[in-house]
Amino acid sequence: MRHLLSAGDLDVDSACLILDTAAQLASVTDRSVKKLPTLRGRTVVNLFFEDSTRTRISFEIAAKRLSADVINFVAKSSSVSKGESLKDTALTLEAMGADAVVIRHSSSGAPHRLATAGWIQGSVVNAGDGTHEHPTQALLDAFTLRHHLRDGTGDLAGLRVAIVGDILHSRVARSNVLLLRTLGAHATVVAPPTLLPYGVNEWPCSVSYDLDEVLPNVDAVMMLRVQTERMQAAYFPSVNEYSRRYGLDIRRMGLLPPHAIILHPGPMNRGMEISADVADSTRAVMAEQVANGVSIRMAVLYLLLGGMSEDDRKGL
Amino acid sequence: MTSESTVIRGVCPYGEEPVDFVIAGGVIAEIVKAGTGAGRVIDGSDLIALPGFVDVHTHLREPGHEDAETVETGSRAAALGGFTAVFAMANTSPVADTAGVVEQVWHLGQETGLVDVIPVGAVTVGLGGEHLAELGAMATSVAQVRMFSDDGKCVHDAAIMRRALEYVKAFDGVIAQHAQEPRLTVDAQMNEGALSGQLGLTGWPSVAEESIVARDVLLAEHVNSRLHVCHVSTAGSVDVIRWAKSRGIKVTAEVTPHHLLLTEDLVASYDPVYKVNPPLRTRADIAALRAALADGTIDAIATDHAPHPHEDKDCEWAAAAFGMLGLQTSFSIAVLTMIDSGLLDWRALADRMSVRPARIGHAVGHGHDLVVGVPANICVVDPAASWVVEPLTFVSKSRNSPYSGMTLPGKVVHVFKAGKATVVDGGLAW
Ligand SMILES: [Zn+2]
């Protein structure tokens, strides 16, 4: 694996390798060894064209725990300025000798361009591109599901997961649908028809407009952030109507099987897609998702930048 | 014949029996038995003679965007592509919405002289879609504009479109519509389908084109005026146009080479060289477009030649400009998609690349069948040759060709414009 651009690029073996590596790395860092020397002398650049402190910090902690040098490069989004800045920035990073570039960009496909346009040599990690994908989010979600609903190993065969909310604009949904399919789980996307992409019936998942009907038959539900501004473009009539029909409140939580868990990629819109009491309930695993995000990003950087030496293996 | 005559020796008009074309005084002076014509000889053996191609849709970028193309470089590309006349779209800077600007473009074309550059006038002031431009002034200018278009933008206001269609009847003008319902295509990046959903790129739905085409043919019928539909890209638009023609509505339509060949699948690379408006569509659309060009529902192949400087394509998808080069590859794509597939013979290809486009835009002196007495606008092609597309060798100022590296069939060998050789042995005559 040279780059991580799409969850769809992972087969079941490479996905499980990332999850297993993350589990190993998590256990090491739990055992008070906060730092591994694995990526000493390597440079990881966080190239963020879109403001996302949470994701950037998660990658930064991951890289630092592997002893990499981390450069944070926060650039203005290039969508207005004709985008020369992506290329120019890439050439600058190349001159600095970046071994890996972690990129967040508002334009779908920007990581693909960075990886394929010939601007840089290093590995590219997609940390969220436009409305396309966010593969490390899907990996950390899979890691969380595996921990809670399986024994922490193997794939997710037979697991049933509902993904609810603004599927149309969600990179988290796209990556999750692809990775869950690869890992043998069955996803159902749930949203008003306006917030489902044209052609969603060709996706490897089920589609429903009715959340109440779906909830009793899933092992986990992922609530997606719904921006209230979508209302202006007539995707839904009002915040109240949206949350009445698609929000996860206490009544709806009661429809879930007892073992089912609730995920959210954050940041949450409390009162919109999720009510405050559900967000704070014991079935919600958002804090774990954040912690698992660091382990997953460690694993991805670890595997992309040369994997494990023999010494490293012994250290584990 | 006099010493000033030129003979194209042993050439096959429309791929039929070989003859000698004797060119003198700017016209086809004689068509005689192969080997018998007198004059300066240009070898035409194993080559096919067609009427010089006419492109009703190019962007020559001058004035205002000379970093992408000029009338001169665009004319050079056009000549090498086998064209003797091209229509230059109005979305320049300033916009070609006055007699002054269209005359400037016309004069620049005359100075270069490789092809007749026929300006298209804007329908509305500044392409703003609100106030009619001085269409009459452009029509009576030295450029004698007959085709009007806000291309790049759609004349979306139905009342403005109706008035424009009516107004140009006074001088037998035609409104060439870029059919794109703007509210259905806000931030649109590619064809709306399963792939756009997967790639996370905002969709440009077929219905945004078809709804405007449907509205406009009905408006054209209502006011009994002429409508031309630019770059038809969907099977649904083809159905609407076929229906309109069957009703006797005065509508013509064009299709681009890229919409005859390339599908949306190429967008999965996120390489902006495939970003074009209207977007690349599906295999089913391509099949419908080819069939429509074959049966005459679509009248013309038009390049929508859209040069862009390198930096406008060497970036991420959303930031990139829309458009592709077309002039130097149009003929070969036509051969690949329409001749090699058996959908058109050479006579029909000449009809779609010369005769009908000349008629649509009133390109005086162009689009005549190759008979004695007509202006000698002739394109001589080698049907058996093939070539590898290398944009770096293009005479266009820009390099944004989606065919880079492809091996294409058919080559333009010689071109005559009004009796004067503009292209000889595949190279510019001057
Ligand atoms: Zn157009």
Side-chain angles (χ1 to χ4, degrees):
Chain A
M1 191 167 70
R2 166 112 192 273
H3 307 291
L4 179 60
L5 304 177
S6 162
D9 296 340
L10 299 170
D11 59 18
V12 65
D13 289 340
S14 52
C16 285
L17 176 63
I18 294 171
L19 298 180
D20 294 344
T21 305
Q24 286 177 302
L25 291 167
S27 74
V28 172
T29 41
D30 281 353
R31 283 199 318 249
S32 82
V33 191
K34 279 285 178 201
K35 261 191 167 186
L36 294 170
T38 321
L39 298 185
R40 184 161 293 148
R42 314 297 292 276
T43 302
V44 174
V45 176
N46 284 325
L47 178 57
F48 276 58
F49 287 87
E50 212 179 58
D51 200 27
S52 173
T53 314
R54 307 159 56 99
T55 307
R56 184 181 57 72
I57 288 175
S58 181
F59 271 105
E60 184 171 354
I61 294 170
K64 283 184 171 165
R65 284 197 185 157
L66 295 170
S67 304
D69 296 322
V70 180
I71 299 171
N72 286 314
F73 207 109
V74 179
K76 280 245 170 71
S77 181
S78 58
S79 55
V80 267
S81 64
K82 284 212 154 189
E84 287 165 275
S85 55
L86 176 60
K87 182 190 180 185
D88 290 343
T89 310
L91 296 178
T92 306
L93 301 180
E94 180 65 7
M96 290 173 176
D99 296 295
V101 178
V102 175
I103 177 174
R104 161 68 64 100
H105 202 287
S106 60
S107 174
S108 298
H112 279 78
R113 282 297 277 165
L114 197 57
T116 58
W119 302 329
I120 61 165
Q121 300 295 317
S123 292
V124 175
V125 180
N126 182 358
D129 61 328
T131 55
H132 178 225
E133 283 211 44
H134 193 358
T136 59
Q137 177 72 43
L139 284 161
L140 76 86
D141 289 339
F143 189 88
T144 308
L145 293 168
R146 196 169 80 153
H147 173 75
H148 275 274
L149 301 166
R150 293 292 181 262
D151 62 358
T153 60
D155 61 20
L156 299 175
L159 204 73
R160 299 158 304 166
V161 182
I163 306 173
V164 186
D166 186 356
I167 310 295
L168 177 62
H169 299 97
S170 174
R171 49 197 173 208
V172 175
R174 281 170 180 75
S175 287
N176 261 305
V177 165
L178 293 171
L179 187 66
L180 288 169
R181 189 262 316 256
T182 300
L183 291 171
H186 183 79
T188 302
V189 294
V190 186
T194 46
L195 291 177
L196 290 165
Y198 188 92
V200 71
N201 51 332
E202 292 178 39
W203 287 21
C205 62
S206 303
V207 179
S208 173
Y209 308 139
D210 186 345
L211 184 54
D212 285 349
E213 191 181 272
V214 170
L215 289 176
N217 302 306
V218 295
D219 304 301
V221 56
M222 276 179 203
M223 302 307 297
L224 302 175
R225 180 179 169 81
V226 177
Q227 294 179 312
T228 50
E229 307 88 78
R230 302 287 177 216
M231 205 167 65
Q232 261 80 59
Y235 288 106
F236 51 87
S238 70
V239 170
N240 278 344
E241 171 147 332
Y242 181 85
S243 68
R244 261 199 315 275
R245 291 177 67 85
Y246 295 98
L248 191 60
D249 56 13
I250 286 289
R251 178 191 71 79
R252 284 213 170 94
M253 190 167 75
L255 298 174
L256 285 166
H259 67 276
I261 58 170
I262 297 161
L263 298 90
H264 193 300
M268 284 183 281
N269 249 337
R270 286 167 190 254
M272 178 75 179
E273 72 268 7
I274 193 164
S275 69
D277 38 9
V278 171
D280 297 331
S281 79
T282 53
R283 308 177 80 172
V285 296
M286 279 67 107
E288 281 174 59
Q289 287 176 277
V290 173
N292 293 338
V294 174
S295 304
I296 283 292
R297 285 156 186 146
M298 284 175 79
V300 167
L301 292 171
Y302 200 81
L303 293 167
L304 283 180
L305 294 181
M308 299 184 226
S309 70
E310 272 312 299
D311 284 354
D312 292 335
R313 278 181 206 285
K314 283 176 199 144
L316 294 173
Chain B
M1 281 279 119
T2 68
S3 59
E4 282 164 39
S5 58
T6 301
V7 181
I8 312 174
R9 175 85 78 212
V11 74
C12 302
Y14 310 103
E16 294 156 12
E17 288 307 302
V19 295
D20 283 3
F21 277 99
V22 181
I23 298 168
V27 300
I28 299 175
E30 290 182 89
I31 300 175
V32 295
K33 189 167 175 288
T36 64
R40 190 173 65 90
V41 172
I42 288 183
D43 185 19
S45 47
D46 301 321
L47 304 179
I48 292 175
L50 302 169
F53 303 144
V54 177
D55 190 355
V56 289
H57 194 146
T58 69
H59 297 273
L60 300 185
R61 302 299 188 214
E62 191 175 2
H65 303 288
E66 291 84 354
D67 55 334
E69 197 78 285
T70 63
V71 171
E72 185 187 343
T73 58
S75 294
R76 292 159 69 86
L80 284 180
F83 295 93
T84 51
V86 299
F87 286 74
M89 278 298 172
N91 62 340
T92 48
S93 182
V95 170
D97 57 3
T98 61
V101 178
V102 294
E103 288 193 345
Q104 180 194 354
V105 172
W106 185 83
H107 281 298
L108 287 166
Q110 291 292 304
E111 276 167 32
T112 302
L114 286 162
V115 295
D116 282 338
V117 174
I118 304 170
V120 175
V123 177
T124 64
V125 174
L127 311 179
E130 291 183 355
H131 307 287
L132 278 193
E134 290 189 349
L135 309 180
M138 291 188 271
T140 51
S141 75
V142 60
Q144 294 188 56
V145 175
R146 287 296 177 275
M147 180 181 271
F148 298 89
S149 181
D150 277 358
D151 183 61
K153 294 201 173 147
C154 181
V155 182
H156 61 89
D157 183 314
I160 298 284
M161 186 62 183
R162 177 218 167 120
R163 295 299 176 218
L165 284 165
E166 283 177 317
Y167 194 80
V168 299
K169 285 163 66 174
F171 33 86
D172 194 24
V174 60
I175 304 295
Q177 176 72 293
H178 169 118
Q180 175 179 7
E181 211 295 314
R183 292 285 296 137
L184 290 175
T185 50
V186 175
D187 295 330
Q189 299 291 320
M190 69 171 291
N191 179 49
E192 183 164 274
L195 186 62
S196 63
Q198 185 191 320
L199 296 177
L201 292 173
T202 306
W204 197 131
S206 306
V207 65
E209 175 173 305
E210 293 150 5
S211 57
I212 293 291
V213 175
R215 180 200 75 177
D216 286 355
V217 296
L218 293 171
L219 285 173
E221 178 177 47
H222 184 64
V223 302
N224 188 29
S225 185
R226 282 211 298 143
L227 169 72
H228 177 70
V229 184
C230 295
H231 40 54
V232 173
S233 73
T234 79
S237 297
V238 166
D239 287 342
V240 174
I241 293 163
R242 190 174 282 128
W243 171 85
K245 285 192 166 186
S246 75
R247 271 171 84 91
I249 296 170
K250 290 189 262 182
V251 59
T252 55
E254 69 187 39
V255 61
T256 71
H258 46 274
H259 287 114
L260 289 172
L261 181 66
L262 307 177
T263 63
E264 61 167 355
D265 306 294
L266 293 161
V267 179
S269 67
Y270 289 105
D271 185 339
V273 78
Y274 302 115
K275 183 172 175 178
V276 66
N277 190 16
L280 301 179
R281 304 276 187 194
T282 67
R283 236 164 246 297
D285 292 307
I286 284 180
L289 292 167
R290 290 184 185 185
L293 186 63
D295 72 18
T297 300
I298 292 177
D299 300 84
I301 296 176
T303 64
D304 196 5
H305 178 80
H308 289 290
H310 185 61
E311 61 271 22
D312 288 357
K313 288 291 192 179
D314 195 27
C315 55
E316 65 273 24
W317 183 274
F322 289 98
M324 302 176 163
L325 298 186
L327 285 169
Q328 287 184 250
T329 46
S330 179
F331 168 66
S332 289
I333 301 299
V335 172
L336 178 66
T337 58
M338 302 305 293
I339 296 283
D340 289 357
S341 62
L343 286 167
L344 290 181
D345 60 18
W346 291 104
R347 223 172 242 283
L349 187 78
D351 181 66
R352 309 298 193 272
M353 289 191 71
S354 178
V355 179
R356 291 215 220 178
R359 204 184 295 150
I360 290 166
H362 286 302
V364 178
H366 296 272
H368 291 289
D369 283 336
L370 297 175
V371 295
V372 171
V374 303
N377 292 311
I378 305 171
C379 173
V380 179
V381 300
D382 183 348
S386 65
W387 59 295
V388 177
V389 180
E390 292 171 52
L392 282 174
T393 67
F394 281 3
V395 295
S396 169
K397 261 198 171 182
S398 294
R399 302 284 171 261
N400 52 305
S401 169
Y403 312 111
S404 182
M406 284 177 66
T407 302
L408 297 181
K411 252 183 138 163
V412 174
V413 182
H414 311 298
V415 182
F416 294 84
K417 200 208 99 182
K420 201 166 160 190
T422 54
V423 174
V424 178
D425 293 327
L428 289 166
W430 75 87

